[in-house]
Each structure stands twice: as structure tokens, then as C-alpha cells.
């Protein structure tokens, strides 16, 4: 049985007051614990011990009361005073209790005010503690502007990222204001990046700008490609607009304008292609660059088509085509070889120009012959060459480059016989001007159209000549041999020569046997060709008789003929060992004289040879000249169907300036 149960057992019969007193006393349980720890003998002696202790304590109390009697009296007095004081305190306490609600209300108000002040003080204290940090944060927008305007873009982006993190960490109004200012500076920086892309920029700088734009996360990857191409297109548009303005203000010719335009696009296309492929990763479905470059080439085609139509110089066209060929070859390194795309535009520009020059030559011949046909002028008065006509021939003669080889120079030089007939010489010069223009841009696709148009011009010229010849033969029958010589010169020298220059000289094509042109002209001028053949037979027989009568049997005669070279203006001496076996006139490959003096010398030499080769019939001196001219023209007739050139290819040459090596197609 523990002490608790023993304690309850002992105190169950006690009064409530006594039991409560004993139960609440701190010594009760201690003494009960002491009793339970004693032995039986000690327990038996415990009442006696307690009685002795009680008596002892009582004696001590009596002794204390006796000795400390004054103290007890004083204590009693103090108790009385304390009762009075407590009564007084009780009265005052009632008054205090009455004032406590007001005090409590005043305390609450003070507490509220003090809390506000404490918070404000805490804020001020915190601001004071973090003053330097706050100043740095508030100066971030100004620092951002400084970095942007001085080009420190990396530092500016670091500041913007730092402000974004601060705003997320401290969602305060001041941070929102700072963020708005930083965003405004970022917008300025974005505008600077776009401006950089719209100005001349190298690859390294372009890569840096695109890197900054990616870091700003202002555009998606696809949008960034579009922005790059758009900005570079704005740059080239600015250059082209400036070029157009200069052209309008300074009246720049179309040739110079196109040269500068092609240079601008060549530089821009190559730069954009290389930068785009270096900056952006290539994807299989990325056709943005291809579409953009195709758009630029289409614009170039449109501009060239519009401007080429205004140009009338094939040398300029050839120069532009060469520039485009090199441009396409250069851009072929980035997969944009567009050389074949512009061939058609140049063909369309060259064809009307060449045909117009041919029509102009034909019109000049017709304008010359129409008044003569109308009034039926006597052939001897205008048909043959005189010194006064040399200036007009020289004036109409087109410039010609130096021959590349003596053989080519002889093959494509105009027949010297044409100098005897100024209208034919002028007509030949006009056609050769067109052919010289064509040879600079010898597009193979123009061969048929040019040949057909030349044939048509030659047939029209033959009809005009036949119209005059018919009228002159009717009214001046005594000069029909001169007319026949004139017609024969056109049919056998002028027309075949021009046809050969175009077909063989420019396009390296073989001439058909017989050529349709020769067949048609022969059919048209058959009467005059037959008359010229008969006169030629008579002249040949007379020349043979004269040669036999004038030449000793044992010693051959040497005849020297002086001709004028139409290329460099020098004279050539030709020694002929048996005059009866050598043609009396110059070769058909030599040019018509380039100036008056050379023309006079050629005419005088021609007359001297005629005097040696032909007898003097009972006719006028004019008839002598006519007979000599007829013999001269018959000796000049040659077969125009031979060709040493290989057949042409089926495609246009990539370098049009590498035309057939024609030494000279002009009359100088």
C-alpha cells in the first residue's frame, strides 16, 4: 500500500476543514513518508518523542513570549495601524478602479500611435542603414541610359536582367517605376540594334547585333530572320533611292545608272547571303533567304528590262552583260548563279537596236534613190564615185577595231569595188554599223531574226535598185552597161559580203548552197546579171587581145597595182607577173577607201589598170569607165558559200563579249 492510499485511509474520518488543511499542508506527506520509513521499535517510540518535542516547543514559546513581550506589543500596534492604512488604501483603490477604464482607453490610443511611430522609425532606420544600396538601385535607370548611349550593350542587358530579378523579389511601387524606366531604355537599345542592321555592317558586327537581339528575347527565331532581311533590304533601298535621286539631279545616263545599280545589288546580295548563312542555322524548310534573293533578282530583271529599252549602244549593252556575268559567277559561290536569267532581256534590247540600224541604212539608200528614180537622173551623173563624194562615205563609215589576224582582216574587209558606187558604199557602211553592234552581243537566238531581217533589207534594196535600173535602161540605153555593172556589183559583191559577215563572221554558221538570198536576188535581177555577163565576156576577149598585142613573147610584163588598205591607211604594192592572168581590179576582201586621198588613189589606180587591161573601143571615156567597172565587178564576184568556221552550238555563250573573231566589218 503506498503513502497516498494510507493518507486517504487516515483522513477519511476527519472533518472537511481538518482534512483539507492536512491534505494541503506540505509537511503532511513528508511526515507520512518519514513514518513509513521507521522500524517498529521506532514507531513505538514515536509518540513519546513527539510528546517530548511538543513540551520543548511549548517551553520555548513561553520563554520567547516573556523575553519578546515589547516586540509583541509593537507588532500589535503595527497591526492596528496597518488595518487603518488598508482601510484608507481600500478607499483610494475604489477611486483607482473608477479611473481605470479611462486609463485603459488612453493607453490603447497611445499604443496605436506608438506603433505607427515605431513603424515609421523602423522604416527610416532601415532606409538609413541601406542608404547606399537604395541610391544604387535608384540610379539604375540613369546607368542603363549611359550604357545604351555609349554602346555598352552587354552591361545594359545585365542591368535589365538584374532589375527584373529585383522586381520579382521586391514587388514594390518604386521597383515598378524603375522597371518602366529600364524598359524605355531597352526600347531605345532595340531601336539602335535595328538601326545598326539598316546601316553598312560587317559580319562580326551583325553576329553581335543578332546575339544581343536574341538575348533581349524581343523576337522569336523566325521573326528574327525576317527582321534581319527586312533591315538589310531597307539599307539597299536607301542606297538605290540615293542612286535614283543622283540620276534625277545629275541626269546620269542609263548605262552608268545600271552599272552602279548592279554593283549595289551584287554587293548587297553577296553580303546578305553570307551573313544570313553564317548567323542563322540552316533548316531544310527554311526558304526565307531563297525567297528574298529571288525577289531581288526579279527586281533587277524588271529594272534592267525597263532601262535596257532606252539604250541604243550595244557596246554599253555588252559591258553591262559582262558585268552581270561576272556578278552571277561571283554569286554562284552562295548558290545564286543567275547568269542565264538575263540573256532574254539583252536579246530583247539588242534585236530592235540592230534591226533599227539596218532599217536606217535601207531608208538612207531609199531616200537617196527616190529623187533619182523620180527624175530618172542619168547614171553617169551620179552613179560612179567622185572626189566630192568621198567625204560622205568617210562620214558614214563606222569605227572598227583592229584585225586580230591578217587572214581575218582580208576575209571580212569590204570589197574595194564598192568605192566606185557611193550609194552602195554608204548602204554597206550602214549595215556594217548594225553588224558591228550585233557582234558585241551575238545572241544565238537572234541569228534567225537578224538574218531574215537582213535578207528582207537586201531584197528591198534590190527592188529599189531594179526600179531605178528599169527606168534608166529605158531612158538611157547607151548607159545600160554602167547600170548592169552597178546592179551586178550589188548582187555579186555587196549583198553576199553582208550576208557572209552576218552568217559566217558573227555566228560561225555555214552558208547554204545555194543560199536563198542569192537565189532570190538572182531571180529578181536576172536580166541585168545576164547583160553584165555578156559585157564581161566581151571585156575579157578585148583584154586578151590587147595583152597579146602589147606583150613580147620572150619577156613577161609586170603590172604594179597600188591599193589602199582600209584598216591602217597604208598602201600595198602588188606585182603581177602576167597581166592577162591576173584580175585588173583589187581583191574583194579589201575595204573601200577611208578618205578622199585614198579614194582618189584607188580610183586612179583602177583607171590605170583598166587602160592596161582593156582596149579602147570607139566610145566615150565614160563608156571606157563603164566597161572597166563591169570587168572589175565581174572579177570581184566570188563564191560566198565557203566557210571555215565550225557550226554554232545550241546555247548562247556565257561570255557574249567572246564573239567570233571578226577583224573588221566596216568601211573606213
Amino acid at each position: 500500500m503506498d503513502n497516498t492510499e494510507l493518507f486517504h485511509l487516515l483522513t477519511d474520518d476527519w472533518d472537511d476543514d481538518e482534512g483539507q488543511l492536512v491534505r494541503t499542508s506540505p509537511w503532511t506527506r513528508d511526515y507520512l513518508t518519514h513514518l513509513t520509513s521507521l522500524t517498529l521499535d521506532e514507531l513505538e517510540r514515536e509518540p513519546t518523542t513527539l510528546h517530548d518535542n511538543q513540551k520543548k516547543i511549548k517551553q520555548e514559546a513561553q520563554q520567547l513570549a516573556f523575553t519578546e513581550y515589547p516586540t509583541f506589543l509593537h507588532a500589535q500596534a503595527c497591526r492596528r495601524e496597518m488595518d487603518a492604512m488598508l482601510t484608507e488604501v481600500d478607499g483610494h483603490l475604489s477611486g483607482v478602479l473608477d479611473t481605470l477604464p479611462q486609463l485603459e482607453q488612453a493607453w490603447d490610443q497611445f499604443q496605436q500611435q506608438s506603433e505607427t511611430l515605431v513603424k515609421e522609425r523602423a522604416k527610416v532606420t532601415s532606409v538609413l542603414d541601406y542608404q547606399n544600396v537604395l541610391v544604387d538601385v535608384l540610379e539604375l535607370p540613369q546607368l542603363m541610359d549611359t550604357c545604351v548611349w555609349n554602346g555598352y550593350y552587354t552591361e545594359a542587358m545585365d542591368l535589365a536582367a538584374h532589375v527584373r530579378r529585383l522586381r520579382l523579389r521586391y514587388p514594390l511601387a518604386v521597383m515598378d517605376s524603375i522597371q518602366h524606366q529600364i524598359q524605355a531604355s531597352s526600347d531605345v537599345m532595340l531601336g539602335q540594334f535595328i538601326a545598326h542592321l539598316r546601316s553598312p555592317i560587317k559580319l562580326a558586327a551583325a553576329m553581335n547585333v543578332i546575339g544581343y537581339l536574341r538575348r533581349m528575347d524581343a523576337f522569336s527565331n523566325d521573326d528574327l530572320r525576317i527582321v534581319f532581311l527586312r533591315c538589310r533590304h531597307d539599307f539597299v533601298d536607301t542606297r538605290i533611292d540615293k542612286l535614283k535621286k543622283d540620276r534625277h539631279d545629275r541626269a546620269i545616263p542609263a548605262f552608268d545608272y545600271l552599272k552602279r545599280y548592279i554593283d549595289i545589288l551584287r554587293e548587297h546580295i553577296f553580303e546578305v547571303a553570307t551573313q544570313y548563312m553564317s548567323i542563322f542555322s540552316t533548316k531544310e524548310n527554311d526558304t526565307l533567304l531563297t525567297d528574298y534573293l529571288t525577289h531581288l533578282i526579279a527586281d533587277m530583271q524588271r529594272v534592267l528590262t525597263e532601262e535596257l529599252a532606252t539604250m541604243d549602244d550595244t557596246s554599253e549593252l555588252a559591258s553591262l552583260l559582262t558585268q552581270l556575268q561576272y556578278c552571277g559567277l561571283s554569286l554562284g559561290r552562295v548558290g545564286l548563279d543567275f547568269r542565264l536569267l538575263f540573256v532574254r532581256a539583252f536579246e530583247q534590247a539588242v534585236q530592235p537596236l540592230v534591226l533599227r540600224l539596218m532599217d536606217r541604212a535601207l531608208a538612207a539608200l531609199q531616200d537617196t534613190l527616190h529623187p533619182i528614180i523620180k527624175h530618172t537622173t542619168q547614171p553617169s551623173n551620179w552613179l560612179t564615185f567622185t572626189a566630192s563624194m568621198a567625204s560622205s562615205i568617210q562620214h558614214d563609215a563606222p569605227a572598227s577595231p583592229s584585225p586580230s589576224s591578217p587572214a581575218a582582216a582580208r576575209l571580212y574587209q569590204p570589197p574595194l569595188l564598192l568605192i566606185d558606187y557611193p550609194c552602195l558604199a554608204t548602204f554597206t557602211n550602214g549595215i556594217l554599223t548594225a553588224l558591228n553592234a550585233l557582234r558585241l552581243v551575238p545572241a544565238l537566238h537572234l541569228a534567225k531574226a537578224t538574218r531574215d531581217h537582213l535578207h528582207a533589207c537586201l531584197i528591198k534594196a534590190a527592188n529599189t535598185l531594179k526600179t531605178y535600173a528599169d527606168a534608166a535602161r529605158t531612158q538611157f540605153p547607151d548607159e545600160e552597161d554602167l547600170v548592169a555593172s552597178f546592179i551586178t556589183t550589188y548582187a555579186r559583191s555587196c549583198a553576199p559580203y553582208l550576208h557572209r559577215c552576218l552568217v559566217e563572221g558573227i555566228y560561225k554558221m555555214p552558208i547554204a548552197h545555194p543560199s536563198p538570198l542569192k537565189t532570190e536576188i538572182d531571180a529578181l535581177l536576172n536580166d541585168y546579171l545576164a547583160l553584165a555577163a555578156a559585157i564581161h565576156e566581151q571585156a575579157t576577149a578585148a583584154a586578151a587581145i590587147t595583152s597579146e598585142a602589147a606583150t613580147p613573147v620572150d619577156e613577161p610584163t609586170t603590172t604594179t597595182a597600188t591599193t589602199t588598205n582600209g584598216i591602217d591607211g597604208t598602201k600595198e604594192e602588188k606585182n603581177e607577173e602576167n597581166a592577162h592572168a591576173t584580175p585588173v581590179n583589187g581583191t574583194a576582201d579589201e575595204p573601200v577607201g577611208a578618205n578622199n586621198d585614198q579614194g582618189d588613189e584607188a580610183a586612179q589606180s583602177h583607171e590605170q589598170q583598166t587602160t592596161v587591161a582593156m582596149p579602147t573601143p570607139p566610145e566615150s571615156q565614160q563608156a571606157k569607165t563603164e566597161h572597166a567597172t563591169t570587168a572589175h565587178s565581174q572579177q570581184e564576184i566570188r563564191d560566198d558559200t565557203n566557210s571555215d568556221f565550225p557550226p554554232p552550238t545550241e546555247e548562247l555563250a556565257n561570255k557574249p563579249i567572246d564573239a567570233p573573231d571578226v577583224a573588221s566589218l566596216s568601211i573606213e
Side-chain angles (χ1 to χ4, degrees), residues 50 52-63:
L50 290 175
D52 293 339
N53 288 337
Q54 182 179 9
K55 290 173 65 174
K56 182 179 180 180
I57 291 171
K58 185 175 179 181
Q59 291 176 358
E60 290 176 355
Q62 291 175 354
Q63 184 67 29

Side-chain angles (χ1 to χ4, degrees), residues 5-298:
E5 294 178 356
L6 178 61
F7 178 77
H8 287 294
L9 180 63
L10 294 176
T11 59
D12 285 340
D13 296 337
W14 293 2
D15 296 335
D16 294 336
D17 296 335
E18 294 179 354
Q20 183 66 24
L21 180 62
V22 173
R23 283 193 291 270
T24 57
S25 177
W27 296 284
T28 303
R29 294 183 181 278
D30 294 337
Y31 183 69
L32 183 61
T33 303
H34 172 70
L35 291 178
T36 55
S37 62
L38 296 177
T39 61
L40 181 60
D41 295 336
E42 291 176 350
L43 286 175
E44 290 178 353
R45 292 193 298 272
E46 185 63 20
T48 304
T49 303
L50 290 175
H51 182 71
D52 293 339
N53 288 337
Q54 182 179 9
K55 290 173 65 174
K56 182 179 180 180
I57 291 171
K58 185 175 179 181
Q59 291 176 358
E60 290 176 355
Q62 291 175 354
Q63 184 67 29
L64 179 64
F66 179 77
T67 57
E68 297 294 334
Y69 178 75
T71 303
F72 290 137
L73 293 177
H74 181 69
Q76 180 66 25
C78 289
R79 184 186 66 79
R80 290 176 183 157
E81 292 178 0
M82 181 61 67
D83 290 339
M85 290 178 63
L86 289 176
T87 302
E88 185 179 358
V89 168
D90 183 63
H92 290 294
L93 183 60
S94 299
V96 171
L97 291 176
D98 293 337
T99 59
L100 279 179
Q102 299 178 359
L103 179 62
E104 185 177 3
Q105 184 178 1
W107 168 255
D108 292 337
Q109 294 178 356
F110 174 77
Q111 186 178 13
Q112 293 176 358
Q113 294 177 359
S114 64
E115 288 178 355
T116 303
L117 293 176
V118 168
K119 291 180 180 179
E120 293 296 331
R121 184 178 182 280
K123 291 181 180 179
V124 172
T125 304
S126 178
V127 169
L128 183 61
D129 294 339
Y130 295 96
Q131 178 182 2
N132 296 331
V133 177
L134 292 175
V135 170
D136 293 339
V137 172
L138 294 176
E139 289 180 351
L140 286 177
Q142 182 180 358
L143 182 60
M144 178 79 171
D145 286 337
T146 303
C147 293
V148 169
W149 290 111
N150 289 277
Y152 299 106
Y153 299 119
T154 302
E155 291 78 3
M157 291 184 181
D158 292 339
L159 288 176
H162 178 61
V163 169
R164 286 194 296 269
R165 290 193 297 268
L166 289 178
R167 185 170 178 270
L168 293 175
R169 185 175 179 180
Y170 305 104
L172 304 175
V174 65
M175 293 308 302
D176 293 338
S177 177
I178 294 174
Q179 174 64 27
H180 290 321
Q181 298 178 44
I182 293 293
Q183 185 61 42
S185 299
S186 298
D187 294 339
V188 173
M189 182 169 58
L190 178 61
Q192 291 183 358
F193 291 150
I194 299 299
H196 282 310
L197 292 178
R198 289 175 176 171
S199 61
I201 189 171
K202 300 298 182 181
L203 176 59
M207 295 181 71
N208 290 335
V209 170
I210 296 300
Y212 289 140
L213 290 176
R214 284 173 174 165
R215 184 174 176 182
M216 291 183 67
D217 198 18
F219 306 100
S220 64
N221 191 29
D222 293 337
D223 292 341
L224 191 58
R225 296 169 186 256
I226 297 175
V227 168
F228 174 78
L229 294 179
R230 180 60 189 177
C231 292
R232 300 312 297 160
H233 186 73
D234 291 341
F235 168 66
V236 75
D237 277 348
T238 303
R239 295 186 61 185
I240 293 176
D241 291 341
K242 182 180 179 181
L243 177 60
K244 291 180 179 178
K245 182 179 179 181
D246 291 343
R247 183 187 185 189
H248 181 269
D249 296 340
R250 305 177 185 177
I252 299 176
F255 173 68
D256 295 334
Y257 170 74
L258 287 179
K259 284 187 65 177
R260 295 170 60 181
Y261 178 81
I262 294 172
D263 285 338
I264 290 174
L265 283 187
R266 176 183 59 82
E267 295 174 2
H268 173 70
I269 292 175
F270 185 79
E271 182 183 68
V272 168
T274 53
Q275 290 180 356
Y276 185 91
M277 291 187 292
S278 299
I279 295 174
F280 302 101
S281 60
T282 57
K283 299 185 295 183
E284 294 182 357
N285 57 350
D286 182 16
T287 60
L288 188 60
L289 178 62
T290 304
D291 296 340
Y292 173 65
L293 297 182
T294 303
H295 171 71
L296 289 181
I297 297 303

Side-chain angles (χ1 to χ4, degrees), residues 473 484 487-488 492 522 525-537 634:
R473 186 177 182 185
I487 297 298
T488 304
R492 290 292 183 262
D522 288 350
L525 306 176
N526 183 45
D527 295 342
Y528 297 96
L529 295 178
L531 177 60
I535 296 174
H536 173 64
E537 291 178 358
Q634 296 299 327

Side-chain angles (χ1 to χ4, degrees), residues 460-479:
K460 290 179 181 179
N463 285 322
T464 304
L465 297 180
K466 184 177 183 301
T467 301
Y468 170 73
D470 292 341
R473 186 177 182 185
T474 302
Q475 295 190 17
F476 306 101
D478 56 337
E479 296 185 6

